[in-house]
Amino acid sequence: MASTSVSRIVPASPDDVWRLVGGFGSLPDWLPFIPSSTLEDGGRTRRLGDQEGQTIVERLIAYDDEARSYSYSILEAPFPVTDYLSTLRVWAVAGNDAVSEVQWSGRFTPRDVPDADVVALFTGIYSDGLDSLRSALG
């Protein structure tokens, strides 16, 4: 099993950040490479469309509005992984109510590719995504 984690400090309060990222169907609101998201199964599954027309289907595993976090698994995707589990979290930064730390992490089992390749893939996705989030809030 492999894993990666990326975090960014963003220029907004934790509540403001969570309002933007905390909805399971909200990726298109802040992640430019995911222009569409359709919730299914009572909001527990999201069907994402990427910029290349590929489909990614993810299942909500855990959601904690108070702690400002959710975890999800991938059901279908063009990625060479199995057993994918990812978590998105928003934290307050001590001493500054106007900024937050956002962490996006994942663990997964690479399928027919070196661990380092898949770690680099998801590190890039998480980094680019959190940079987009920071830009959207800044």
Side-chain angles (χ1 to χ4, degrees), residues 10-77:
V10 296
S13 73
D15 288 340
D16 288 344
V17 175
W18 187 244
R19 272 192 284 282
L20 180 58
V21 304
F24 192 54
S26 71
L27 286 181
D29 297 339
W30 60 274
L31 196 60
F33 48 86
I34 299 293
S36 70
S37 176
T38 303
L39 292 177
E40 301 171 345
D41 191 26
R44 305 266 322 154
T45 303
R46 64 185 176 193
R47 182 172 299 276
L48 307 171
D50 71 10
Q51 291 175 318
E52 298 170 4
Q54 299 176 94
T55 299
I56 302 159
V57 180
E58 298 173 334
R59 177 92 175 149
L60 184 64
I61 301 299
Y63 185 89
D64 189 332
D65 193 47
E66 187 175 320
R68 293 185 291 267
S69 73
Y70 69 79
S71 298
Y72 62 95
S73 63
I74 290 179
L75 302 178
E76 299 173 30

Side-chain angles (χ1 to χ4, degrees), residues 96-116:
N96 191 340
D97 294 340
V99 298
S100 304
E101 180 178 358
V102 181
Q103 180 188 48
W104 198 352
S105 61
R107 66 177 195 237
F108 36 82
T109 302
R111 188 182 64 231
D112 301 324
V113 296
D115 287 13

Side-chain angles (χ1 to χ4, degrees), residues 115-128:
D115 287 13
D117 291 355
V118 181
V119 168
L121 170 70
F122 285 108
T123 300
I125 290 170
Y126 300 165
S127 293
D128 292 348

